[in-house]
């Protein structure tokens, strides 16, 4: 090998390492900026109540600050994709992730359940991701995405009735008509 070739290889490796380091710094900065808005997530209660929708396996896509479908949350392990299982109970929604902490979404925090083409930078076919809009204890609304291995379970999730008689799909339609829901960069 010539000295010139060795210098090119060292330069490319140094450039690659610098790019990775800068991405890491950016991710940490994002987490720091979002920490106050996200705060502590609700703990999984000891008693979940009656199971209303059977567990479905799939991929936790990520969570974003609503209404943006790309503003991924970097606080804790919310920003990392993981395989898992989602199920609905009378008290709320439980998302158990492999290699990451469970996410508990209390029933009274759920604002809407809908399907989307994408979330958190993951774009799929039409209605490929189940998205749950919910409010954190800090008052911040976020969207949590789950891509099920079996898409035929989505209608049960979207059509699940709420205690006030309104369905999640009606809430989604109301949010879309008011301009609250941004869908892949465009208002729904």
């Amino acid at each position: 090998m010539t000295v010139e070739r060795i210098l090119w290889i060292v330069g490319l490796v140094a450039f690659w390492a610098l790019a990775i380091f800068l991405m890491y710094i950016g991710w940490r900065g994002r987490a720091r900026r979002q920490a106050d808005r996200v705060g502590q997530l609700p703990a999984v209660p000891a008693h979940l109540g009656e199971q209303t929708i059977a567990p479905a396996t799939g991929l936790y896509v990520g969570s974003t600050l609503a209404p943006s479908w790309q503003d991924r949350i970097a606080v804790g392990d919310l920003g990392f994709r993981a395989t898992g299982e989602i199920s609905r109970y009378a008290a709320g929604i439980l998302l158990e992730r492999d290699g990451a902490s469970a996410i508990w979404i209390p029933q009274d925090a759920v604002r809407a359940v809908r399907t989307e083409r994408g979330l958190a930078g993951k774009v799929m076919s039409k209605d490929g991701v189940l998205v749950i809009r919910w409010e954190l204890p800090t008052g911040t609304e976020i969207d949590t995405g789950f891509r099920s291995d079996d898409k035929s379970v989505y209608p049960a999730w979207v059509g699940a009735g709420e205690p006030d008689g309104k369905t999640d799909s009606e809430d989604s339609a109301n949010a879309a008509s008011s301009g609250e829901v941004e869908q892949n960069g465009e208002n729904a």
Side-chain angles (χ1 to χ4, degrees):
M1 285 186 135
T2 67
V3 172
E4 186 177 306
R5 181 174 265 175
I6 291 173
L7 289 176
W8 269 104
I9 292 171
V10 169
L12 288 174
V13 169
F15 177 75
W16 178 80
L18 177 65
I20 297 295
F21 177 72
L22 291 175
M23 285 189 288
Y24 173 73
I25 296 296
W27 188 257
R28 278 192 12 211
R30 176 185 285 248
R32 200 173 32 256
R33 286 188 305 273
Q34 294 174 342
D36 290 337
R37 290 183 69 190
V38 173
Q40 288 288 95
L41 294 179
V44 179
H47 302 289
L48 303 175
E50 177 188 351
Q51 188 175 57
T52 57
I53 298 179
T57 60
L59 176 72
Y60 165 73
V61 175
S63 293
T64 63
L65 295 172
S68 176
W69 73 285
Q70 291 185 338
D71 193 4
R72 181 186 289 272
I73 295 176
V75 177
D77 61 0
L78 284 178
F80 303 117
R81 292 189 176 128
T83 57
E85 185 176 85
I86 190 168
S87 50
R88 192 164 195 167
Y89 296 87
I93 298 170
L94 179 61
L95 179 52
E96 296 176 290
R97 301 177 294 159
D98 299 332
S101 60
I103 298 174
W104 173 250
I105 304 172
Q107 182 59 38
D108 60 346
V110 175
R111 299 296 174 251
V113 179
R114 65 189 191 280
T115 57
E116 293 284 347
R117 285 186 302 242
L119 184 79
K122 177 92 171 159
V123 180
M124 304 197 49
S125 61
K126 184 177 188 242
D127 299 331
V129 179
L130 182 70
V131 178
I132 302 161
R133 166 121 354 133
W134 59 292
E135 186 176 333
L136 296 170
T138 60
T140 301
E141 285 191 354
I142 68 172
D143 287 332
T144 296
F146 186 80
R147 186 191 76 200
S148 179
D149 294 333
D150 178 13
K151 310 284 184 294
S152 67
V153 302
Y154 289 170
W157 281 88
V158 174
E162 296 300 314
D164 62 3
K166 211 168 27 166
T167 65
D168 289 337
S169 57
E170 289 171 349
D171 286 342
S172 296
N174 291 338
S177 66
S178 69
E180 294 175 6
V181 176
E182 180 183 305
Q183 189 173 33
N184 296 342
E186 304 170 2
N187 282 339

